[in-house]
Amino acid sequence: TRRLLIFMIPQLKQRSTQRVAELFGEAEQRSARELRRAAETAARAQRFDEAIVLRVRALARSLGERGIVMLPPGATVQAFARRAAVPFPEFTAQLDAAANAFDDVRYLRGTGSETAYALVRDLDAALAGTHPGTLPELAGSGVFDTPARTQAPIEHAGAGR
């Protein structure tokens, strides 16, 4: 008798490694790291308008890269601030201030300042090192409704001897 073996190879969905092309109304393919680097370069050259815009985009891209805040095409910086405040409620005021600084220099023809840039830079750095208290897609499910706790580093047996 003949036996026929059929091997099924699951078809894997290819995940796009390309980033969302738009951030707050402009095409933007750079990573959060690249945007931060460009923002720092602009800040060192005293181009604070540009530095603020780039650093807010870096913040948004970073939270997207981490899978924390996903923005639909066409989202405004104000919508981003509201979404980011869900997993990071302790940063709501700073997120609002960063969004306002972005809007001031990008749309309202305001002048960026070193102080405004420092606020955005410090917020980006703080959120980069913070775990979200609530993941928006699971909010209300009971799974992540308690604030995240900072875990102490795991010490291995024999370490430090």
Side-chain angles (χ1 to χ4, degrees):
T1 66
R2 289 187 202 193
R3 293 187 183 168
L4 179 62
L5 292 175
I6 299 175
F7 290 94
M8 300 294 288
I9 300 173
Q11 199 174 37
L12 299 175
K13 287 185 180 180
Q14 290 184 352
R15 294 183 75 181
S16 174
T17 57
Q18 190 173 19
R19 291 173 189 85
V20 174
E22 183 185 296
L23 268 177
F24 311 132
E26 253 186 50
E28 185 57 75
Q29 295 294 330
R30 290 177 283 185
S31 70
R33 175 181 277 170
E34 292 166 326
L35 287 163
R36 285 181 185 117
R37 204 173 311 131
E40 288 297 319
T41 299
R44 279 193 301 275
Q46 305 290 303
R47 297 189 318 266
F48 293 112
D49 295 4
E50 179 184 353
I52 289 166
V53 168
L54 289 168
R55 197 62 183 236
V56 171
R57 287 186 175 144
L59 172 59
R61 179 58 46 85
S62 174
L63 294 182
E65 288 171 353
R66 292 171 60 194
I68 297 170
V69 178
M70 307 309 291
L71 294 175
T76 66
V77 71
Q78 298 296 329
F80 162 72
R82 285 189 302 274
R83 282 182 178 227
V86 173
F88 299 106
E90 66 275 24
F91 292 98
T92 299
Q94 294 96 321
L95 286 160
D96 288 342
N100 290 336
F102 179 97
D103 280 347
D104 285 347
V105 299
R106 183 78 175 102
Y107 302 114
L108 302 177
R109 296 192 176 129
T111 303
S113 67
E114 187 172 1
T115 302
Y117 176 70
L119 176 139
V120 176
R121 181 199 60 219
D122 294 348
L123 173 62
D124 183 30
L127 291 181
T130 303
H131 295 289
T134 304
L135 294 178
E137 58 276 0
L138 297 175
S141 69
V143 177
F144 288 100
D145 289 346
T146 57
R149 293 197 173 106
T150 305
Q151 294 182 358
I154 298 172
E155 293 186 15
H156 299 284
R161 291 184 194 176

